[in-house]
Amino acid sequence: MFITSMAVAQQLPIAINIQKAYIKGTRNKTGIPGKFYWQNKADYAIKINFNPLTRELKGTVGVDYTNNSPDTLKFILFKLYPNLFQDIAPKAITIAKEDLTGGIKIEKVSQNGQSPDSTKYTIRGTNMFVRTKKLLPGTKTHFDVEYSYILNKGSFVRTGQIDSGAFFLAYFFPRVAVYDDIDGWNMYPYTGQVEFYNDYGNFDVEIAVPGNYQVWATGMLKNQQEVYQPKFSALINKAEQSDSVLNIISEADLRAGHITKDNQQNIWHFKAENVTDFAFGISNHYIWQSSSIIVDAISKRRTRVDAVYNPQDVTYRPVIDYARKTVQAISYQFPKIPYPYPHETVFDGPDEMEFPMMVDNNPFEQKKDAIQLTAHEIFHTIFPFYVGTNETKYSFMDEGWATMAEFYLHPMIDQSIPVDYDMTDINTNSGIEQDVPVMTLTPQLAGAARFLDKDQKPALAYLYVKEILGDELFLKALHAYINSWKGKHPTPYDFFNCINTASGKNLDWFWKNWFFERGVPDLAISKVSLKNKIYSLVVCNVGTEAVPVHLTIYFADGSKQYLNSSAACWMNGAKTKTFTFATNKRLKEIILGTVYDADINKQNNRWEAP
């Protein structure tokens, strides 16, 4: 029951693999990396040739892999994410028959210049096991892989053809899986639903495409003058120093042509440092709006912000403004972290997906939807990219924050539209059979409560913790977490413990209630009484979840008064919260709850004066 879980069971249940990390000293119970924390590293040199007509991608990837672990690795696990489209690979989504292929064709795998025979590697869906000589702790090795595959024409799942002249290519290269101190190799296959977990590394990428295509990608373009005509190269340079929005490529430019160098094929060279992934979009008919923002008031460092889209998608025109304001809000308002990367490019495609420095967003007709989608996907820059959370297990560690960004950053982006956040999912699905604790591993989530448990519930939990701690202390604690784990791989326990330590508040009662239990939010106005011009108002926690109390008192003369309490009022097992207020005015009604307060039964949230 609620009283037991809130008042008595204060300690969080800890899985055995997490406990072992504390014993080994790789994690610390204060929430910071342990004395013996380590993580492995892979640097990539990639060269690919993409043919838009056949959709064939041919590539080579060189991987410098460093084993920083204390373990001897007997094999190396690679991820082949395009094998989602392999006809025999397991899938959690539907792929059209015409998009099913034989998957990635591995032409050659070599280690340190020596090519093992085909029996040295085994492919099972999106996992490729490469048997190697034992890789000792603290040593390095090098792999070269030659490969090819056909990009999907339809069944767009975070990657694929957008139209006959536009493509978005993600997860397009073999990469070494994460080997960490919690699970060892990350064995989770990619089945199209659950997202990703990658190590940090440096990327040096060359992309060969026909001469009339432009390329936008993770990292910075290193040969700008070699691929763009001087006019457009100059505009890019100007945008990187301009607060105003510039049209780098306009519709008139597309009609006139000669945007890129007049070669049959151009090779685009990008570099990115200390990122977890690399993705790119190409088009021969997209327009490009660009601007930049000072994201660090001290160093005056700028981030370039781009919107690249089909000119026929007229609803995309305001996106550059939404994107600029999102980057600005992240840098100066919440979480008040200078935007960590040199650019953020929003690319027009039929999906809603984030990548380092890139976002693939479809066009929305409604302004509110476009604002919230832009904020959500760009906020992923902080989680899971700047702070490298594991989406294959704990998607709430990034999706919860990005979902919170939808409604929390909205007023910072555009105040003209009142925020009317849709609480239907949590209010409808809390407590149903498919509703499981947020801490349930992401691959085990299914059905109607999936969005609730990985997105909405953690988003509201973060908001409620913010109210419990207050804005200043909450931001201090969040900064401690971000700064401790940037470029690293935290678990949920690291987050919980870091917030506890940095705030000086033991919030285990809240973490347990919102993340480890199958809670149901349900508050009710149970009693209103008047004595000697003093009103007594009792709110009852009918449910099993710690929800803040927000009351609006409406008087007959049109005025109103607010009475509030954070979710901490339920910390010690109380089932009721009593408010008193004195007034000479005649009451009209009392409303319990705001647009951000979860409640499965709104029928008992209103009291009318007799």
Side-chain angles (χ1 to χ4, degrees):
M1 295 298 293
F2 181 80
I3 293 178
T4 301
S5 64
M6 298 292 284
V8 179
Q10 297 294 313
Q11 290 189 341
L12 302 181
I14 304 176
I16 290 176
N17 52 336
I18 304 294
Q19 293 179 30
K20 288 180 178 178
Y22 294 142
I23 295 170
K24 292 178 180 179
T26 58
R27 310 273 163 167
N28 191 300
K29 290 184 178 180
T30 62
I32 62 174
K35 180 180 179 181
F36 301 109
Y37 178 82
W38 55 267
Q39 64 191 48
N40 291 351
K41 189 173 189 290
D43 294 329
Y44 296 87
I46 302 172
K47 294 183 179 181
I48 68 163
N49 187 309
F50 179 69
N51 186 334
L53 294 179
T54 63
R55 306 189 316 281
E56 184 180 36
L57 182 148
K58 293 184 176 181
T60 63
V61 54
V63 188
D64 289 317
Y65 185 66
T66 305
N67 179 18
N68 291 315
S69 82
D71 305 324
T72 297
L73 304 181
K74 299 178 181 179
F75 67 90
I76 302 297
L77 177 63
F78 278 76
K79 294 294 185 179
L80 306 179
Y81 293 136
N83 270 3
L84 171 67
F85 295 90
Q86 185 186 55
D87 49 6
I88 62 173
K91 298 169 182 58
I93 59 172
T94 300
I95 302 293
K97 185 176 180 179
E98 55 268 25
D99 282 313
L100 294 175
T101 68
I104 283 187
K105 184 178 181 181
I106 300 295
E107 311 285 352
K108 181 180 179 182
V109 178
S110 64
Q111 182 181 12
N112 298 326
Q114 297 181 350
S115 300
D117 59 48
S118 60
T119 62
K120 292 294 185 179
Y121 63 86
T122 303
I123 298 175
R124 297 174 186 163
T126 56
N127 286 339
M128 179 171 74
F129 301 83
V130 178
R131 289 175 290 282
T132 68
K133 292 182 180 179
K134 293 180 180 180
L135 187 60
L136 298 175
T139 61
K140 300 180 180 180
T141 191
H142 179 85
F143 290 96
D144 288 297
V145 183
E146 296 179 17
Y147 69 103
S148 64
Y149 73 95
I150 303 298
L151 185 72
N152 49 301
K153 182 177 182 179
S155 305
F156 195 101
V157 185
R158 305 182 177 100
T159 184
Q161 179 173 321
I162 299 168
D163 59 37
S164 60
F167 305 79
F168 196 87
L169 289 93
Y171 323 118
F172 61 90
F173 59 96
R175 73 191 70 198
V176 180
V178 176
Y179 184 87
D180 66 22
D181 63 312
I182 302 297
D183 298 316
W185 288 113
N186 181 262
M187 296 284 188
Y188 288 97
Y190 173 48
T191 61
Q193 188 175 61
V194 177
E195 294 177 34
F196 305 94
Y197 182 37
N198 298 308
D199 268 325
Y200 288 87
N202 300 323
F203 288 81
D204 189 327
V205 183
E206 294 182 5
I207 302 166
V209 293
N212 61 330
Y213 276 81
Q214 294 88 54
V215 182
W216 296 265
T218 298
M220 295 302 291
L221 180 61
K222 307 307 291 185
N223 62 338
Q224 179 178 299
Q225 294 182 340
E226 297 174 21
V227 292
Y228 279 111
Q229 297 288 353
K231 168 188 172 182
F232 299 96
S233 181
L235 282 171
I236 296 169
N237 292 339
K238 185 177 180 181
E240 290 178 346
Q241 299 299 320
S242 175
D243 293 322
S244 302
V245 175
L246 303 180
N247 293 314
I248 306 294
I249 300 175
S250 66
E251 290 186 75
D253 295 322
L254 292 171
R255 289 191 294 269
H258 302 291
I259 296 169
T260 55
K261 290 297 179 69
D262 296 323
N263 299 317
Q264 184 176 355
Q265 185 182 71
N266 286 316
I267 298 176
W268 300 68
H269 184 196
F270 294 89
K271 284 188 176 183
E273 296 181 353
N274 201 36
V275 294
T276 58
D277 204 355
F278 187 100
F280 67 96
I282 72 169
S283 176
N284 61 9
H285 65 282
Y286 274 19
I287 60 176
W288 179 8
Q289 294 176 300
S290 186
S291 180
S292 65
I293 300 167
I294 294 175
V295 295
D296 189 330
I298 298 175
S299 69
K300 305 299 181 185
R301 179 174 60 83
R302 283 182 173 268
T303 289
R304 194 188 76 227
V305 182
D306 307 317
V308 180
Y309 59 98
N310 190 327
Q312 294 181 354
D313 291 334
V314 294
T315 58
Y316 229 88
R317 292 173 183 170
V319 167
I320 184 65
D321 182 55
Y322 305 153
R324 288 187 80 260
K325 289 180 178 176
T326 299
V327 170
Q328 186 175 50
I330 290 171
S331 300
Y332 295 104
Q333 292 170 279
F334 183 80
K336 213 171 181 179
I337 296 290
Y339 206 76
Y341 301 119
H343 79 85
E344 182 63 45
T345 300
V346 184
F347 195 85
D348 183 359
D351 213 335
E352 303 165 12
M353 189 61 194
E354 70 281 355
F355 311 86
M357 304 180 221
M358 297 289 291
V359 167
D360 172 29
N361 275 2
N362 56 23
F364 273 110
E365 295 291 335
Q366 297 298 320
K367 185 176 181 181
K368 183 186 81 168
D369 294 334
I371 291 171
Q372 293 188 357
L373 172 64
T374 303
H376 179 110
E377 300 304 341
I378 292 179
F379 200 87
H380 274 302
T381 294
I382 307 301
F383 312 103
F385 300 135
Y386 191 55
V387 177
T389 55
N390 181 355
E391 293 183 271
T392 64
K393 292 175 66 177
Y394 317 116
S395 59
F396 71 86
M397 293 187 73
D398 70 291
E399 292 298 345
W401 288 111
T403 302
M404 178 182 167
E406 291 180 21
F407 55 80
Y408 191 64
L409 297 190
H410 190 147
M412 305 174 196
I413 299 169
D414 191 327
Q415 296 181 346
S416 67
I417 305 175
V419 179
D420 183 20
Y421 185 61
D422 185 1
M423 300 284 280
T424 302
D425 204 78
I426 190 168
N427 291 340
T428 302
N429 295 318
S430 289
I432 68 171
E433 288 178 307
Q434 292 174 338
D435 179 21
V436 295
V438 172
M439 279 293 290
T440 303
L441 298 187
T442 306
Q444 299 170 20
L445 300 177
R450 178 178 169 81
F451 171 77
L452 158 65
D453 289 320
K454 77 179 183 67
D455 297 75
Q456 195 170 56
K457 217 170 191 181
L460 293 172
Y462 301 146
L463 185 70
Y464 298 163
V465 168
K466 176 178 172 294
E467 185 176 7
I468 290 170
L469 296 180
D471 290 355
E472 184 177 349
L473 186 56
F474 177 73
L475 206 57
K476 174 187 173 184
L478 184 57
H479 281 179
Y481 169 61
I482 292 173
N483 290 329
S484 295
W485 289 99
K486 61 185 178 183
K488 299 181 176 68
H489 298 312
T491 69
Y493 297 92
D494 298 317
F495 168 70
F496 301 144
N497 291 333
C498 193
I499 297 298
N500 287 355
T501 301
S503 68
K505 307 287 185 181
N506 187 343
L507 297 174
D508 281 355
W509 65 272
F510 184 87
W511 307 132
K512 189 173 189 298
N513 182 238
W514 268 86
F515 290 84
F516 290 84
E517 296 175 347
R518 299 177 63 172
V520 176
D522 186 9
L523 301 184
I525 299 174
S526 62
K527 184 179 180 182
V528 179
S529 57
L530 174 64
K531 184 177 181 180
N532 297 327
K533 297 184 179 181
I534 296 177
Y535 280 93
S536 177
L537 195 165
V538 180
V539 175
C540 178
N541 194 333
V542 181
T544 57
E545 210 147 47
V547 182
V549 182
H550 299 126
L551 293 157
T552 306
I553 317 298
Y554 292 91
F555 297 100
D557 63 1
S559 61
K560 54 189 174 182
Q561 179 180 344
Y562 301 98
L563 298 174
N564 301 317
S565 176
S566 76
C569 65
W570 313 115
M571 176 174 58
N572 294 318
K575 290 296 290 182
T576 61
K577 171 67 177 177
T578 301
F579 298 85
T580 59
F581 62 99
T583 183
N584 291 318
K585 298 180 181 180
R586 184 165 61 90
L587 263 62
K588 180 182 178 183
E589 64 178 349
I590 301 173
I591 301 295
L592 170 64
T594 70
V595 70
Y596 301 124
D597 294 343
D599 199 314
I600 65 167
N601 181 14
K602 297 286 188 179
Q603 301 303 311
N604 52 21
N605 289 10
R606 183 174 180 230
W607 176 88
E608 289 186 271

